[in-house]
mmCIF file of all heavy atoms in Angstrom:
data_model
loop_
_atom_site.group_PDB
_atom_site.id
_atom_site.type_symbol
_atom_site.label_atom_id
_atom_site.label_comp_id
_atom_site.label_asym_id
_atom_site.label_seq_id
_atom_site.Cartn_x
_atom_site.Cartn_y
_atom_site.Cartn_z
ATOM 1 N N ARG A 330 -45.083 59.649 -1.233
ATOM 2 C CA ARG A 330 -46.149 59.361 -2.169
ATOM 3 C C ARG A 330 -46.546 57.905 -1.961
ATOM 4 O O ARG A 330 -45.767 57.004 -2.229
ATOM 5 C CB ARG A 330 -45.698 59.587 -3.596
ATOM 6 C CG ARG A 330 -45.832 61.051 -4.006
ATOM 7 C CD ARG A 330 -45.292 61.242 -5.403
ATOM 8 N NE ARG A 330 -43.916 60.747 -5.466
ATOM 9 C CZ ARG A 330 -43.310 60.402 -6.612
ATOM 10 N NH1 ARG A 330 -43.941 60.468 -7.752
ATOM 11 N NH2 ARG A 330 -42.059 59.971 -6.604
ATOM 12 N N VAL A 331 -47.720 57.675 -1.492
ATOM 13 C CA VAL A 331 -48.127 56.326 -1.128
ATOM 14 C C VAL A 331 -48.986 55.729 -2.224
ATOM 15 O O VAL A 331 -50.010 56.292 -2.586
ATOM 16 C CB VAL A 331 -48.895 56.342 0.212
ATOM 17 C CG1 VAL A 331 -49.415 54.954 0.515
ATOM 18 C CG2 VAL A 331 -47.989 56.843 1.316
ATOM 19 N N ARG A 332 -48.548 54.589 -2.773
ATOM 20 C CA ARG A 332 -49.414 53.872 -3.708
ATOM 21 C C ARG A 332 -50.542 53.251 -2.919
ATOM 22 O O ARG A 332 -50.420 52.927 -1.748
ATOM 23 C CB ARG A 332 -48.642 52.744 -4.409
ATOM 24 C CG ARG A 332 -47.568 53.203 -5.362
ATOM 25 C CD ARG A 332 -47.205 52.075 -6.326
ATOM 26 N NE ARG A 332 -46.960 50.812 -5.645
ATOM 27 C CZ ARG A 332 -45.803 50.470 -5.105
ATOM 28 N NH1 ARG A 332 -44.781 51.295 -5.137
ATOM 29 N NH2 ARG A 332 -45.655 49.297 -4.500
ATOM 30 N N THR A 333 -51.632 53.007 -3.594
ATOM 31 C CA THR A 333 -52.737 52.303 -2.936
ATOM 32 C C THR A 333 -52.512 50.805 -3.078
ATOM 33 O O THR A 333 -51.744 50.372 -3.938
ATOM 34 C CB THR A 333 -54.069 52.688 -3.599
ATOM 35 O OG1 THR A 333 -53.907 52.553 -5.010
ATOM 36 C CG2 THR A 333 -54.445 54.115 -3.250
ATOM 37 N N PRO A 334 -53.202 49.991 -2.277
ATOM 38 C CA PRO A 334 -53.046 48.546 -2.416
ATOM 39 C C PRO A 334 -53.375 48.116 -3.834
ATOM 40 O O PRO A 334 -54.316 48.626 -4.439
ATOM 41 C CB PRO A 334 -54.058 47.976 -1.429
ATOM 42 C CG PRO A 334 -54.283 49.060 -0.444
ATOM 43 C CD PRO A 334 -54.103 50.349 -1.184
ATOM 44 N N GLY A 335 -52.623 47.191 -4.351
ATOM 45 C CA GLY A 335 -52.893 46.688 -5.689
ATOM 46 C C GLY A 335 -52.374 47.594 -6.784
ATOM 47 O O GLY A 335 -52.565 47.317 -7.956
ATOM 48 N N ASN A 336 -51.707 48.659 -6.408
ATOM 49 C CA ASN A 336 -51.129 49.553 -7.412
ATOM 50 C C ASN A 336 -49.781 48.972 -7.808
ATOM 51 O O ASN A 336 -48.757 49.277 -7.219
ATOM 52 C CB ASN A 336 -50.983 50.950 -6.827
ATOM 53 C CG ASN A 336 -50.578 51.955 -7.890
ATOM 54 O OD1 ASN A 336 -50.033 51.584 -8.931
ATOM 55 N ND2 ASN A 336 -50.851 53.218 -7.637
ATOM 56 N N ASP A 337 -49.778 48.130 -8.815
ATOM 57 C CA ASP A 337 -48.655 47.225 -9.014
ATOM 58 C C ASP A 337 -47.895 47.426 -10.317
ATOM 59 O O ASP A 337 -47.304 46.495 -10.836
ATOM 60 C CB ASP A 337 -49.157 45.777 -8.928
ATOM 61 C CG ASP A 337 -49.512 45.423 -7.505
ATOM 62 O OD1 ASP A 337 -48.898 45.983 -6.585
ATOM 63 O OD2 ASP A 337 -50.420 44.596 -7.308
ATOM 64 N N GLY A 338 -47.920 48.616 -10.853
ATOM 65 C CA GLY A 338 -47.148 48.857 -12.071
ATOM 66 C C GLY A 338 -48.012 48.670 -13.307
ATOM 67 O O GLY A 338 -48.948 47.868 -13.318
ATOM 68 N N TRP A 339 -47.666 49.399 -14.345
ATOM 69 C CA TRP A 339 -48.566 49.473 -15.511
ATOM 70 C C TRP A 339 -48.728 48.130 -16.203
ATOM 71 O O TRP A 339 -49.803 47.751 -16.645
ATOM 72 C CB TRP A 339 -48.104 50.551 -16.482
ATOM 73 C CG TRP A 339 -46.852 50.177 -17.238
ATOM 74 C CD1 TRP A 339 -45.576 50.478 -16.887
ATOM 75 C CD2 TRP A 339 -46.782 49.416 -18.441
ATOM 76 N NE1 TRP A 339 -44.710 49.942 -17.786
ATOM 77 C CE2 TRP A 339 -45.415 49.289 -18.766
ATOM 78 C CE3 TRP A 339 -47.734 48.830 -19.282
ATOM 79 C CZ2 TRP A 339 -44.975 48.598 -19.879
ATOM 80 C CZ3 TRP A 339 -47.289 48.146 -20.400
ATOM 81 C CH2 TRP A 339 -45.930 48.024 -20.692
ATOM 82 N N ARG A 340 -47.648 47.344 -16.266
ATOM 83 C CA ARG A 340 -47.749 46.092 -17.013
ATOM 84 C C ARG A 340 -48.693 45.109 -16.327
ATOM 85 O O ARG A 340 -49.561 44.499 -16.960
ATOM 86 C CB ARG A 340 -46.365 45.453 -17.152
ATOM 87 C CG ARG A 340 -46.462 44.263 -18.051
ATOM 88 C CD ARG A 340 -45.206 43.535 -18.342
ATOM 89 N NE ARG A 340 -45.645 42.294 -18.984
ATOM 90 C CZ ARG A 340 -44.906 41.511 -19.708
ATOM 91 N NH1 ARG A 340 -43.655 41.798 -19.878
ATOM 92 N NH2 ARG A 340 -45.411 40.429 -20.247
ATOM 93 N N ASN A 341 -48.509 44.981 -15.011
ATOM 94 C CA ASN A 341 -49.395 44.088 -14.274
ATOM 95 C C ASN A 341 -50.844 44.552 -14.385
ATOM 96 O O ASN A 341 -51.756 43.743 -14.539
ATOM 97 C CB ASN A 341 -48.969 44.024 -12.807
ATOM 98 C CG ASN A 341 -47.622 43.325 -12.649
ATOM 99 O OD1 ASN A 341 -47.362 42.327 -13.327
ATOM 100 N ND2 ASN A 341 -46.776 43.845 -11.779
ATOM 101 N N HIS A 342 -51.027 45.866 -14.328
ATOM 102 C CA HIS A 342 -52.392 46.392 -14.412
ATOM 103 C C HIS A 342 -53.003 46.166 -15.777
ATOM 104 O O HIS A 342 -54.167 45.811 -15.891
ATOM 105 C CB HIS A 342 -52.399 47.879 -14.063
ATOM 106 C CG HIS A 342 -52.452 48.070 -12.611
ATOM 107 N ND1 HIS A 342 -53.607 47.920 -11.874
ATOM 108 C CD2 HIS A 342 -51.457 48.332 -11.732
ATOM 109 C CE1 HIS A 342 -53.320 48.114 -10.599
ATOM 110 N NE2 HIS A 342 -52.028 48.352 -10.479
ATOM 111 N N ALA A 343 -52.192 46.383 -16.788
ATOM 112 C CA ALA A 343 -52.707 46.222 -18.146
ATOM 113 C C ALA A 343 -53.153 44.783 -18.361
ATOM 114 O O ALA A 343 -54.240 44.518 -18.884
ATOM 115 C CB ALA A 343 -51.632 46.616 -19.153
ATOM 116 N N GLU A 344 -52.322 43.845 -17.928
ATOM 117 C CA GLU A 344 -52.678 42.436 -18.106
ATOM 118 C C GLU A 344 -53.965 42.092 -17.369
ATOM 119 O O GLU A 344 -54.858 41.437 -17.900
ATOM 120 C CB GLU A 344 -51.529 41.538 -17.607
ATOM 121 C CG GLU A 344 -50.345 41.520 -18.555
ATOM 122 C CD GLU A 344 -49.125 40.811 -17.957
ATOM 123 O OE1 GLU A 344 -49.243 40.235 -16.853
ATOM 124 O OE2 GLU A 344 -48.078 40.846 -18.606
ATOM 125 N N GLN A 345 -54.017 42.550 -16.108
ATOM 126 C CA GLN A 345 -55.188 42.257 -15.290
ATOM 127 C C GLN A 345 -56.446 42.866 -15.931
ATOM 128 O O GLN A 345 -57.492 42.227 -16.019
ATOM 129 C CB GLN A 345 -54.955 42.810 -13.874
ATOM 130 C CG GLN A 345 -56.133 42.675 -12.914
ATOM 131 C CD GLN A 345 -56.377 41.223 -12.496
ATOM 132 O OE1 GLN A 345 -55.465 40.399 -12.522
ATOM 133 N NE2 GLN A 345 -57.620 40.898 -12.159
ATOM 134 N N TYR A 346 -56.318 44.116 -16.403
ATOM 135 C CA TYR A 346 -57.457 44.807 -16.996
ATOM 136 C C TYR A 346 -57.945 44.075 -18.246
ATOM 137 O O TYR A 346 -59.126 43.784 -18.409
ATOM 138 C CB TYR A 346 -57.066 46.244 -17.350
ATOM 139 C CG TYR A 346 -58.230 47.046 -17.884
ATOM 140 C CD1 TYR A 346 -59.062 47.753 -17.013
ATOM 141 C CD2 TYR A 346 -58.517 47.073 -19.248
ATOM 142 C CE1 TYR A 346 -60.145 48.461 -17.490
ATOM 143 C CE2 TYR A 346 -59.608 47.776 -19.741
ATOM 144 C CZ TYR A 346 -60.428 48.471 -18.853
ATOM 145 O OH TYR A 346 -61.505 49.162 -19.330
ATOM 146 N N PHE A 347 -56.988 43.770 -19.085
ATOM 147 C CA PHE A 347 -57.262 43.113 -20.354
ATOM 148 C C PHE A 347 -58.016 41.799 -20.146
ATOM 149 O O PHE A 347 -59.002 41.494 -20.827
ATOM 150 C CB PHE A 347 -55.898 42.858 -21.015
ATOM 151 C CG PHE A 347 -55.968 42.406 -22.428
ATOM 152 C CD1 PHE A 347 -56.568 43.184 -23.403
ATOM 153 C CD2 PHE A 347 -55.389 41.193 -22.803
ATOM 154 C CE1 PHE A 347 -56.611 42.759 -24.737
ATOM 155 C CE2 PHE A 347 -55.421 40.758 -24.123
ATOM 156 C CZ PHE A 347 -56.043 41.547 -25.083
ATOM 157 N N LEU A 348 -57.553 41.035 -19.172
ATOM 158 C CA LEU A 348 -58.132 39.701 -18.964
ATOM 159 C C LEU A 348 -59.461 39.745 -18.229
ATOM 160 O O LEU A 348 -60.249 38.794 -18.312
ATOM 161 C CB LEU A 348 -57.151 38.809 -18.186
ATOM 162 C CG LEU A 348 -55.926 38.367 -18.998
ATOM 163 C CD1 LEU A 348 -54.843 37.822 -18.079
ATOM 164 C CD2 LEU A 348 -56.340 37.306 -20.012
ATOM 165 N N SER A 349 -59.726 40.829 -17.509
ATOM 166 C CA SER A 349 -60.957 40.834 -16.728
ATOM 167 C C SER A 349 -61.999 41.812 -17.267
ATOM 168 O O SER A 349 -62.943 42.168 -16.579
ATOM 169 C CB SER A 349 -60.643 41.102 -15.249
ATOM 170 O OG SER A 349 -59.755 42.179 -15.109
ATOM 171 N N HIS A 350 -61.805 42.257 -18.506
ATOM 172 C CA HIS A 350 -62.824 43.073 -19.169
ATOM 173 C C HIS A 350 -63.095 42.513 -20.562
ATOM 174 O O HIS A 350 -62.356 41.653 -21.034
ATOM 175 C CB HIS A 350 -62.363 44.534 -19.270
ATOM 176 C CG HIS A 350 -62.333 45.218 -17.943
ATOM 177 N ND1 HIS A 350 -61.312 45.028 -17.036
ATOM 178 C CD2 HIS A 350 -63.213 46.060 -17.355
ATOM 179 C CE1 HIS A 350 -61.557 45.742 -15.942
ATOM 180 N NE2 HIS A 350 -62.703 46.383 -16.109
ATOM 181 N N GLY A 351 -64.131 43.018 -21.173
ATOM 182 C CA GLY A 351 -64.406 42.646 -22.565
ATOM 183 C C GLY A 351 -65.029 41.266 -22.700
ATOM 184 O O GLY A 351 -64.639 40.466 -23.553
ATOM 185 N N ASP A 352 -66.008 41.007 -21.856
ATOM 186 C CA ASP A 352 -66.673 39.702 -21.827
ATOM 187 C C ASP A 352 -67.057 39.211 -23.226
ATOM 188 O O ASP A 352 -66.733 38.096 -23.632
ATOM 189 C CB ASP A 352 -67.925 39.816 -20.953
ATOM 190 C CG ASP A 352 -68.287 38.485 -20.323
ATOM 191 O OD1 ASP A 352 -67.525 37.520 -20.530
ATOM 192 O OD2 ASP A 352 -69.312 38.428 -19.637
#
Side-chain angles (χ1 to χ4, degrees):
Chain A
R330 276 177 305 159
V331 175
R332 292 199 311 276
T333 49
N336 188 338
D337 288 330
W339 72 267
R340 187 178 168 161
N341 292 320
H342 276 283
E344 286 171 6
Q345 176 71 25
Y346 184 89
F347 190 60
L348 288 165
S349 47
H350 290 78
D352 208 3

